[in-house]
Amino acid sequence: MPREELLSPEGLRLDGRRWNNLRTLKLSLRTHPTSSGSALLTSGHTSILCLIHGPSEPSLRSKQQHDRCTITVDLTYAPFSGTDRKRRNRTDKRISELRSVIQRTFSRAVMTHLHPRSEITITLLVLSQDGGVLAGCINAATLALIDAGVPMWGYVAAVTVGWVPGQGGEGEEEGTPVLDVNNAEEGELGVLTLATMGDKGRVILGMLESRVRLEAVEGLMAVAVDSAGKVKDMMDEEVRRHGEAIARAAGVGS
Amino acid sequence: MPKELDPSTNEKNFILESLYAGERLDGRELDAFRPLELEFGEEYGLADVRLGKTRVIARVSAQVVQPFSDRPFDGIFTITTELGPMASPGFEVGRQTEAEVLLARLIEKSIRRSTALDTESLCIVAGQKCWQVRADVHFLNHDGNMVDAACIAVVAALQHFRRPDVSIEGETVTVHSMTERVPVPLSILHVPICEGDGGDEANVVTLIDATLQEEQLRDGDMTVTMNKHGEVCQISKAGGVPLDPIAMHRDMNLAFVKVKEITAFIAKRLKEDEEKRVKRDNLLESKAENER
C-alpha cells in the first residue's frame, strides 16, 4: 500500500482517526475469578487476555531464586487471532522474543524481592491481533498484576507510535507520527513500541524494528512518552473504579 | 547446566564504586570502545573481529537454491548464530537459552530485517533459481558485547564477500568459477552497526561496549543499530533500569558518532585488504563492474 494512502491529505488515517487518536481502549479487571488476577484488554480490534497465577511455589526447582521471585511469561496467539487461521508454534522465534521482552520488563517492574523463592506466572492469550500486540500485552499484564495484588514499583504503560515519512517536497515537514498503529500501518511503517514505568515518564521498554531517521526518533519518543502517560491515567481510572465496585459490594467505602 | 560464575561481592562493590567515580576497570573512558581489530581471511567473505578479548568470526557463503514460492523474485539470506562452550563455559550446545534467542534475534533484526542486503539482486531466474547467502557467526570468546562484535563481523564479511558470476543463455544457467570470471560483490544497501549500552544501578551510569563483568553487574541495557546515513535500524531496550527519554536520545546521538567511526574503520580495512589482494593475485583493474 502506498504511503500516501496511510495518511490522507486531510490528515486522516485508514480508519478515520487523526494522528494523535488512540483507538477505543476497553479495560476490564477480574474477568476470570479462578486465577489470582486477570484482565481483558481491547484496543480497537486487538484483544488480549491476561491471567496471573501466583506468587506460588515454582513449577521447577531450577526456577527458584533465593532472594527474589521468578517471573514466567507464557504467550500464546490464538489460531483464530489473525486474518488467516494459523496455528503458531510456541517455539516461534518472534513469540519467544516477545515473551522474554515481557518477562524482563516485569522482572524489573514487580517488587520481586518481596516474594523470595516463589514464581509468578503471567499467561497472555492474544485473542485477536490488529497491531500493537506487544503494547497490549504489557498493559493487560500490568492490570492483571494489580488485580492479583502483586506489589509493583509503578504502572507500566505501553503504546505504539508509527512514523509516516513526508513526501520530501520543499518546505514540507519531514513526516508525521501516528499513534496506536493498526495492522495495516504496522506492516508499512517504522513502529516504535515504548513502555514507561511510574509517573515520571521513564522508559522501561523501547522496541523499534524498522528503519527510521534519527531525527524522527526524537519526535516518536516524545509522542510515545506523552501518550503512555495518558494510557496510564486510563488504567488507573479503571483500577480505581474496579476497586470501588468491590468495596461497595463488600459494604465498605462510599 | 553449567552456569556462568557471578562476580564476587568484593568484585561487584569494587567495579560499581569505581564506575560511580567515573573509572572503568580497564582504564577506558565510559564512552570508549575497546581496541577493535578486523582481519579478513584468505578467501572472500571471512571476517575475524576482536573487540578486546571478545572474538567473533563470520563466514559468508553462497549457493544456488530454489527461492521461496511466496517470494519468487527474492534471494534468500540467512544468519545463523551458535553459541558453544568455546565462547564461554556457560553456553551449552544444542540448547538455546533465552539470552541466546535474544542475541540471535537482535543480530537478525539489525542486519536482515533492516534489508542491509538487497535480496532482489540475488535472483537468477524468477521462481526457479536464486542465490542463498548464508552468514555463519562463530563466537570464539565471550568477554561481553557479543552483539556489536557479531554485527561488525557479519557486515564486514558481507562487504568482503564475492559471489561467482552467473550467465544465463535461454534455459541454461552457468555458474562461472572464481578464476574464470571476476566474482561479483554483493549489493549492500546500507551498513548497520550495533551499539550496546549498559546502564548501571541506582544513579545511572551509561557505559558503551561493556565487558563480561560489567554485563553481569549491569541493571539494564539498550542496543541501538544505526547506519552512517543517520537511520536507526533497530532499538531494543527490554526491561532494565527505567531511563529518562532525554538520556536515551543523548545515548543514541553518541551511538551515531561511534557508528560513523566504525563504518569508516571497516571501509579502511576493506580497502587495505583489496590492495593486498590486487598485489598478490595480479588482479589489477579487473572488477566485476568493468565491461567485458
Side-chain angles (χ1 to χ4, degrees):
Chain A
M1 190 178 302
R3 290 209 161 137
E4 49 268 35
E5 278 181 32
L6 291 173
L7 200 64
S8 75
E10 294 80 35
L12 293 174
R13 288 152 72 180
L14 288 171
D15 44 13
R17 284 183 289 158
R18 300 238 168 236
W19 70 270
N20 57 355
N21 289 147
L22 284 167
R23 291 175 288 181
T24 318
L25 190 63
K26 282 190 214 142
L27 310 165
S28 32
L29 275 83
R30 179 91 24 125
T31 48
H32 293 69
T34 47
S35 58
S36 312
S38 52
L40 177 67
L41 173 140
T42 315
S43 162
H45 290 302
T46 298
S47 95
I48 292 157
L49 177 67
C50 179
L51 304 175
I52 305 291
H53 292 276
S56 58
E57 196 178 337
S59 54
L60 292 170
R61 196 67 180 280
S62 58
K63 282 190 182 166
Q64 209 169 58
Q65 285 170 290
H66 73 96
D67 57 346
R68 71 190 80 166
C69 71
T70 311
I71 308 268
T72 310
V73 177
D74 192 11
L75 173 65
T76 321
Y77 279 75
F80 49 81
S81 62
T83 38
D84 309 319
R85 191 180 177 90
K86 193 163 87 181
R87 191 169 283 279
R88 287 241 233 164
N89 198 336
R90 234 163 235 259
T91 52
D92 186 307
K93 268 193 181 166
R94 167 116 193 105
I95 293 184
S96 61
E97 187 203 10
L98 284 180
R99 197 168 48 214
S100 87
V101 165
I102 297 168
Q103 192 265 333
R104 281 171 169 224
T105 306
F106 284 100
S107 297
R108 174 72 202 193
V110 169
M111 296 185 178
T112 46
H113 61 283
L114 295 179
H115 302 285
R117 296 180 297 280
S118 336
E119 182 185 20
I120 296 174
T121 312
I122 302 175
T123 310
L124 288 152
L125 177 61
V126 181
L127 295 172
S128 109
Q129 36 170 334
D130 186 22
V133 168
L134 176 58
C137 285
I138 300 266
N139 294 338
T142 304
L143 288 174
L145 282 166
I146 291 172
D147 183 35
V150 174
M152 294 208 285
W153 296 104
Y155 279 91
V156 186
V159 285
T160 53
V161 190
W163 182 258
V164 184
Q167 304 301 316
E170 279 290 313
E172 220 180 309
E173 277 181 70
E174 270 193 44
T176 326
V178 285
L179 187 60
D180 194 14
V181 293
N182 61 26
N183 217 359
E185 288 165 335
E186 199 171 55
E188 288 294 318
L189 305 175
V191 174
L192 172 76
T193 302
L194 184 138
T196 59
M197 188 171 86
D199 299 330
K200 291 198 186 114
R202 287 185 185 265
V203 180
I204 189 165
L205 174 145
M207 296 282 277
L208 179 97
E209 300 203 328
S210 26
R211 264 189 289 163
V212 175
R213 304 234 11 118
L214 181 59
E215 300 84 54
V217 174
E218 192 176 5
L220 280 181
M221 284 196 353
V223 174
V225 170
D226 190 47
S227 328
K230 291 199 185 98
V231 170
K232 192 218 119 207
D233 291 342
M234 286 155 91
M235 291 186 349
D236 190 49
E237 207 173 285
E238 176 57 30
V239 168
R240 283 175 199 285
R241 204 194 57 72
H242 178 74
E244 267 169 30
I246 291 178
R248 221 174 305 130
V252 285
S254 50
Chain B
M1 190 184 124
K3 216 184 142 215
E4 198 97 42
L5 277 183
D6 283 330
S8 67
T9 313
N10 275 344
E11 272 179 307
K12 179 180 167 183
N13 291 343
F14 179 62
I15 293 175
L16 287 183
E17 281 192 14
S18 42
L19 279 180
Y20 293 142
E23 295 280 346
R24 287 170 94 162
L25 218 55
D26 46 11
R28 272 186 291 159
E29 297 286 314
L30 294 180
D31 59 352
F33 258 79
R34 285 171 284 180
L36 173 66
E37 279 172 53
L38 170 63
E39 272 167 40
F40 297 102
E42 284 280 297
E43 291 170 68
Y44 284 118
L46 182 75
D48 178 351
V49 169
R50 274 180 240 205
L51 198 57
K53 282 193 205 139
T54 299
R55 187 171 178 196
V56 176
I57 286 187
R59 180 82 174 92
V60 173
S61 51
Q63 64 182 117
V64 179
V65 293
Q66 193 174 12
F68 292 124
S69 52
D70 56 336
R71 300 184 153 272
F73 303 106
D74 281 347
I76 301 168
F77 176 41
T78 50
I79 303 176
T80 50
T81 43
E82 204 170 301
L83 288 158
M86 195 201 270
S88 153
F91 301 121
E92 242 180 310
V93 182
R95 221 172 78 180
Q96 275 207 320
T97 60
E98 213 167 71
E100 291 176 51
V101 174
L102 277 189
L103 179 72
R105 278 285 300 175
L106 207 57
I107 295 168
E108 176 143 330
K109 271 196 290 194
S110 302
I111 301 171
R112 211 170 72 95
R113 279 206 36 160
S114 69
T115 59
L117 180 66
D118 177 20
T119 47
E120 263 180 49
S121 71
L122 298 176
C123 179
I124 303 169
V125 181
Q128 285 174 27
K129 295 240 168 352
C130 72
W131 285 104
Q132 178 185 28
V133 174
R134 183 190 159 98
D136 290 282
V137 186
H138 302 280
F139 296 95
L140 301 188
N141 201 12
H142 175 27
D143 187 26
N145 206 6
M146 302 246 269
V147 178
D148 288 21
C151 202
I152 295 171
V154 173
V155 163
L158 278 175
Q159 290 182 88
H160 188 246
F161 184 68
R162 303 283 182 273
R163 66 170 170 81
D165 199 11
V166 173
S167 62
I168 305 162
E169 274 172 56
E171 293 279 288
T172 50
V173 177
T174 322
V175 178
H176 300 281
S177 74
M178 294 277 194
T179 43
E180 192 181 351
R181 277 201 188 183
V182 186
V184 190
L186 301 172
S187 61
I188 311 280
L189 298 177
H190 66 123
V191 180
I193 303 289
C194 285
E195 288 296 328
D197 283 345
D200 259 296
E201 310 250 339
N203 33 359
V204 182
V205 182
T206 310
L207 302 178
I208 277 191
D209 183 26
T211 63
L212 180 59
Q213 277 187 325
E214 287 164 344
E215 264 183 21
Q216 286 172 325
L217 293 174
R218 75 184 170 191
D219 204 16
D221 62 297
M222 175 168 90
T223 309
V224 182
T225 312
M226 297 176 80
N227 60 22
K228 65 171 180 191
H229 311 299
E231 286 172 322
V232 179
C233 305
Q234 180 270 127
I235 299 174
S236 147
K237 170 176 169 30
V241 59
L243 278 179
D244 196 50
I246 296 165
M248 263 174 91
H249 197 256
R250 194 196 54 219
D251 293 347
M252 278 181 227
N253 279 319
L254 182 64
F256 185 36
V257 177
K258 298 282 168 196
V259 163
K260 279 193 279 195
E261 278 173 30
I262 295 176
T263 316
F265 175 74
I266 296 177
K268 192 180 118 221
R269 297 287 302 155
L270 275 167
K271 203 163 161 243
E272 283 170 13
D273 182 74
E274 176 77 34
E275 279 163 11
K276 214 163 72 191
R277 245 162 236 280
V278 166
K279 221 176 261 172
R280 191 187 69 198
D281 303 341
N282 244 343
L283 286 176
L284 214 62
E285 295 298 310
S286 58
K287 287 220 173 83
E289 294 90 26
N290 287 357
E291 260 189 86
R292 296 198 178 85

